Amino acid sequence: MKISLSRLLAAGAACLTLSAAGALANPYVVNCDEGDSLRDALGKAAGSAKLIEINLYGTCYEDVTFNRDDLRIYGDGNTTIVGTARFFSTKSVWFEDVNFTGPGDGLRIVDGRIRLIRSHISGNTGSGIFVTQNGTVNLLDCFVEHNGVAGIVLNSASTRIRNTQVTNNGADGILVTNNAALNFDGGGINYHENGFGIRAENSSSINLSDTHVGVSNPVGIGLSLGSTGIIDNSYANANAEIGILLETNSALEFIGGGISWNGLYGAYVNSHSTLSLGGVSVDNNAAHGIVVESDAALFAGDGTRIEYNTAGDMVQIECRDKESSISIDDSVVVNPPMINCPDPDF
């Protein structure tokens, strides 16, 4: 049977059309171990306004800039992007089971809305995640560890973190600065030898629940320069010097949990700052349980226990000037009952 040249050309064109359509099908499949490029896949999807899904496999050695909304990228748990992932004003971008490592920051988010699920952000030479200019990053069941600088930096940005571990980063575990907000529910922020577990400064806020912050040098949780916090059923334990540090017009409400086994003080409240404790155990710290200084204040109630802190004079609460004050109700246990404060109110 003879087939004309025109029909052959038409059939070939149809095959090419189908092949191109398959290449752009949603979800896309990108296997970097087979030579595919995530950057190229994003380029092919650039003209589409609909939700784009990408199944990503292998190890992708590329810096990638994400500048579109409504994107889902699914890995297999071993999928890894080696390079910085950058986001500029992108919304509804979602990664599952995708890991980030390599030179520079793992993720750098500028006014974006990003979600990470079951991802490892580790081994980056910069910070694990850097968010700025009203950006938001949400993490669920993630690990942020062994990054060269901070684990997470929030600069005029916010985050919601659940069931996540932030450990062994080169500087602070989480830095919250310039009116930023941290919400951390479940998990831990531990083992930072050259920084705070959490450092909040410049009118920032933190909200922790069911979280352990410990084994950092020098401080577990520090608030300064007008920052505020609420902590519920959480722990600041075994830090090199201080479990909780409040400075320069900052305030923290700590409800339930404990501040224990820190290398110097359980809590140090300084420079017009206020610490409120309800049902918290402050115990077995190497010096005083709580120190207030420079017109600072402590309020304690609801069965708070301040005991067995082992300063040489066994003073559990120390006020270091006449302007500082404490107010504790009858439910509070101080053991041994040694308080060095002018006219304590209890």
Side-chain angles (χ1 to χ4, degrees), residues 94-99 114-121 129 137-144 152 159-166 183-187:
W94 186 326
F95 294 86
E96 287 191 28
D97 301 301
V98 177
N99 307 315
I114 312 302
R115 176 175 292 183
L116 304 172
I117 300 173
R118 295 184 303 275
S119 294
H120 282 68
I121 301 91
I129 302 172
V137 61
N138 295 333
L139 285 76
L140 173 63
D141 296 331
C142 292
F143 290 85
V144 183
I152 301 171
T159 185
R160 171 74 185 275
I161 301 175
R162 292 179 290 161
N163 300 326
T164 289
Q165 299 292 329
V166 180
N183 189 312
F184 199 109
D185 182 2

Side-chain angles (χ1 to χ4, degrees), residues 191-257:
Y191 303 107
H192 296 98
E193 296 183 359
N194 299 297
F196 292 21
I198 299 172
R199 187 195 306 261
E201 59 187 20
N202 296 325
S203 301
S204 294
S205 65
I206 67 170
N207 191 318
L208 309 183
S209 180
D210 299 310
T211 300
H212 183 271
V213 183
V215 201
S216 292
N217 184 14
V219 172
I221 301 169
L223 278 64
S224 65
L225 299 170
S227 295
T228 60
I230 298 174
I231 299 178
D232 174 49
N233 193 35
S234 296
Y235 296 86
N237 291 349
N239 297 285
E241 295 184 8
I242 300 171
I244 301 290
L245 173 63
L246 305 180
E247 299 182 290
T248 50
N249 300 296
S250 296
L252 175 66
E253 182 179 6
F254 198 135
I255 305 167

Side-chain angles (χ1 to χ4, degrees), residues 17 20 45 68 89 144 149 153 172 206 242 246 276 310:
T17 300
R68 63 156 294 138
S89 300
V144 183
V149 191
V153 177
D172 299 326
I206 67 170
I242 300 171
L246 305 180
S276 300
T310 55

Side-chain angles (χ1 to χ4, degrees), residues 17-297:
T17 300
L18 291 171
S19 176
L24 295 175
N26 196 9
Y28 305 156
V29 176
V30 176
N31 191 327
C32 293
D33 290 347
E34 295 180 355
D36 296 340
S37 166
L38 177 58
R39 187 187 300 111
D40 289 347
L42 293 172
K44 292 176 182 178
S48 174
K50 67 180 181 178
L51 172 68
I52 298 298
E53 297 182 318
I54 297 176
N55 293 330
L56 183 64
Y57 301 99
T59 301
C60 306
Y61 292 90
E62 52 186 327
D63 288 348
V64 184
T65 298
F66 298 83
N67 51 19
R68 63 156 294 138
D69 299 338
D70 299 319
L71 177 65
R72 305 286 186 270
I73 298 181
Y74 304 103
D76 62 4
N78 295 315
T79 302
T80 303
I81 296 174
V82 181
T84 300
R86 295 180 172 87
F87 306 84
F88 296 96
S89 300
T90 52
K91 299 176 177 62
S92 190
V93 177
W94 186 326
F95 294 86
E96 287 191 28
D97 301 301
V98 177
N99 307 315
F100 299 83
T101 191
D105 300 328
L107 296 92
R108 193 167 186 89
I109 302 164
V110 180
D111 187 31
R113 305 289 184 271
I114 312 302
R115 176 175 292 183
L116 304 172
I117 300 173
R118 295 184 303 275
S119 294
H120 282 68
I121 301 91
S122 63
N124 297 282
T125 59
S127 295
I129 302 172
F130 187 96
V131 193
T132 189
Q133 294 184 27
N134 299 311
T136 298
V137 61
N138 295 333
L139 285 76
L140 173 63
D141 296 331
C142 292
F143 290 85
V144 183
E145 58 188 354
H146 299 291
N147 297 289
V149 191
I152 301 171
V153 177
L154 305 173
N155 180 17
S156 302
S158 63
T159 185
R160 171 74 185 275
I161 301 175
R162 292 179 290 161
N163 300 326
T164 289
Q165 299 292 329
V166 180
T167 61
N168 282 296
N169 296 287
D172 299 326
I174 303 178
L175 173 61
V176 191
T177 186
N178 295 326
N179 200 33
L182 166 67
N183 189 312
F184 199 109
D185 182 2
I189 305 160
N190 299 295
Y191 303 107
H192 296 98
E193 296 183 359
N194 299 297
F196 292 21
I198 299 172
R199 187 195 306 261
E201 59 187 20
N202 296 325
S203 301
S204 294
S205 65
I206 67 170
N207 191 318
L208 309 183
S209 180
D210 299 310
T211 300
H212 183 271
V213 183
V215 201
S216 292
N217 184 14
V219 172
I221 301 169
L223 278 64
S224 65
L225 299 170
S227 295
T228 60
I230 298 174
I231 299 178
D232 174 49
N233 193 35
S234 296
Y235 296 86
N237 291 349
N239 297 285
E241 295 184 8
I242 300 171
I244 301 290
L245 173 63
L246 305 180
E247 299 182 290
T248 50
N249 300 296
S250 296
L252 175 66
E253 182 179 6
F254 198 135
I255 305 167
I259 308 169
S260 307
W261 301 104
N262 295 287
L264 191 58
Y265 309 127
Y268 184 89
V269 189
N270 187 30
S271 302
H272 315 291
S273 297
T274 301
L275 174 63
S276 300
L277 301 177
V280 178
S281 179
V282 184
D283 65 271
N284 290 290
N285 297 287
H288 305 300
I290 301 173
V291 173
V292 290
E293 185 172 8
S294 300
D295 195 26

